[in-house]
Every structure is written in structure tokens, then in C-alpha cells.
């Protein structure tokens, strides 16, 4: 008996990759985006990381502060790239591209996932920069192939998660001006209410509670497990995946329901 029930799934995957390829083609016209976005994590590691590492202000147990902050800077870079993706969706609405997508037979979830996956792939350049700079600064990285695959998987998942969150915001506010204001408001709280640049243990109790509901906290924790030779996990990789993956799926579902609203 042919596995006909797999045909819809295969079709969904094909359409998702078509959207992903369409989005990635935009990079051919402007490679400077990858270069300019690479400067931010390099500056954070070289300046902020080195200064605080030499100051001895941060206490991170047996882990040197530069090692501790490297996964946090990678997570921050992914967040900053992905969270403003919604502005591109609003531009597409203004150019009439969204309307063309909506009249196509492509499922809404495939549209949202394809766009999110393209952002996840773009953020791999951030991973390459952070790994390279960390290596030059003497960070003790974990080069185990399984750990590297896990780290890159987490980066891509985080890119999908936060870009889909950004798309949802764009579908709600619908204008570039409102989106930029809300994006700026959300980015800093997400970053500073996580364990990216300081351990959860030194947070006040109220901030600890918030950080446990912040998906970026689990992205950082997962990257610390997979990136560093010295495992400094708070939750464990299974818990991190158990938060990141379902959150991403839920946001894709919400984005698929809201995406048609952007056209009106």
C-alpha cells in the first residue's frame, strides 16, 4: 500500500524550502548585511567581554567570564538579527508581495516556516563570527562534531523562533513606525532578562522568575552546553530543547493564523 498519507507532508516541506530559497536569494543583492551584522558580536566579545573578564566583577564559578559570555553573545546576535525581520514583511506588504503569496496554494504555515528558516540560516554567519573570535580570544570551545551540530541546530531554531515572533508583531501593528518602536522595546528586556551576560544566580528573585519564562534564557543555556568545553548548564539540554522547540511550533501556528491579516 503506497504511503499516500506522506504526500501532504512532502508537499509542505517542498513549499517551505521554496519560500526559504526565495528569501535567501535576497542576499545575492546585498552581502553587506552579513558583514555589518558580524561587527556587533565581535565588538561585544572583544571590548565588553575582555573588559569585564579583566575586571573580575562578574563571578561565574570555575568558568572564565569570556567563556561564559561567548554563548550569550551568540544568542544575542541571533535575537538582534531575527527580531527585526518583521520590518521586511511589512515592506513586502507595501510592495504587494504578501498578496501574491496569499493567493498561491502554499500553506500559510509553510510561508511562515520558510521565512523563519531563512532567518535561521542567515544567523549561521553570526555563529561563524562568534566561534572565530572566541577561538582567537582563547575561549575553551567544544569541537566535538555532535556538539557543533547541536549548537548550529539551536542557532537555527532560535532564528526561526524570534523571526516568527517578529512576524507576529508585524501582523498586529502593520506599520513600520510602530514595529520599530515595539521591536526596540522588546529587544532589550529579552536580552537583559536572560542569562546571556550574567548568571541567573545573581539576579534578584523577581528577575529570576521572568528569566525562566524567557526563551532566550534556554537558548543561551543550550549554547553553553554545546559550545563550551566546560559544561555550565543550568537546566540541561533536554529541558532547553523541550522549551525552544514547542515554543517555535506554537509561534509558527500563531503566525500562520495572523499572516493573512497583514494584507489588509
Amino acid at each position: 500500500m503506497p504511503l499516500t498519507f506522506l504526500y501532504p507532508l512532502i508537499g509542505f516541506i517542498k513549499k517551505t524550502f521554496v519560500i526559504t530559497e526565495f528569501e535567501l536569494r535576497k542576499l545575492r543583492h546585498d552581502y553587506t548585511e552579513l558583514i555589518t551584522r558580524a561587527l556587533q558580536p565581535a565588538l561585544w566579545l572583544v571590548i565588553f567581554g575582555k573588559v569585564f573578564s579583566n575586571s573580575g566583577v562578574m563571578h561565574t564559578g570555575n568558568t572564565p567570564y569570556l567563556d561564559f559570555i561567548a554563548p550569550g553573545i551568540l544568542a544575542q546576535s541571533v535575537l538582534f538579527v531575527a527580531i527585526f525581520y518583521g520590518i521586511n514583511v511589512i515592506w513586502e506588504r507595501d510592495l504587494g508581495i504578501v498578496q501574491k503569496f496569499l493567493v498561491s496554494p502554499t500553506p500559510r504555515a509553510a510561508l511562515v516556516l520558510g521565512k523563519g528558516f531563512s532567518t535561521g540560516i542567515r544567523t549561521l554567519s553570526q555563529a561563524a563570527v562568534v566561534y572565530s573570535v572566541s577561538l582567537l580570544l582563547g575561549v575553551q570551545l567544544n569541537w566535538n562534531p555532535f556538539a557543533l551540530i547541536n549548537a548550529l541546530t539551536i542557532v537555527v531554531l532560535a532564528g526561526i523562533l524570534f523571526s516568527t515572533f517578529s512576524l507576529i508583531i508585524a501582523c498586529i501593528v502593520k506599520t513600520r513606525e510602530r514595529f520599530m518602536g515595539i521591536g526596540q522595546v522588546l529587544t532589550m528586556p529579552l536580552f537583559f532578562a536572560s542569562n546571556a551576560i550574567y548568571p541567573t544566580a545573581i539576579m534578584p528573585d523577581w528577575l529570576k522568575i521572568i528569566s525562566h519564562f524567557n526563551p532566550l534564557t534556554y537558548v543561551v543555556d543550550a549554547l553553553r552546553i554545546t559550545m563550551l568545553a566546560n559544561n555550565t548548564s543550568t537546566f540541561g539540554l533536554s529541558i532547553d530543547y523541550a522549551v525552544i522547540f514547542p515554543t517555535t511550533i506554537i509561534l509558527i501556528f500563531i503566525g500562520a493564523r495572523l499572516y493573512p491579516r497583514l494584507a489588509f
Side-chain angles (χ1 to χ4, degrees), residues 171-230:
C171 291
I172 294 171
V173 300
K174 297 185 180 180
T175 65
R176 293 188 294 273
E177 295 76 15
R178 289 177 184 172
F179 178 86
M180 290 301 294
I182 293 176
Q184 293 286 356
V185 168
L186 290 175
T187 303
M188 289 297 105
L190 280 170
F191 177 53
F192 287 109
S194 74
N195 55 350
I197 57 175
Y198 36 69
T200 309
I202 68 171
M203 294 179 182
D205 291 339
W206 62 269
L207 188 55
K208 287 181 182 178
I209 295 172
I210 294 174
S211 72
H212 279 75
F213 289 95
N214 183 356
L216 188 65
T217 297
Y218 299 91
V219 172
V220 174
D221 188 69
L223 288 175
R224 287 206 174 104
I225 298 170
T226 54
M227 278 186 66
L228 302 180
N230 180 21

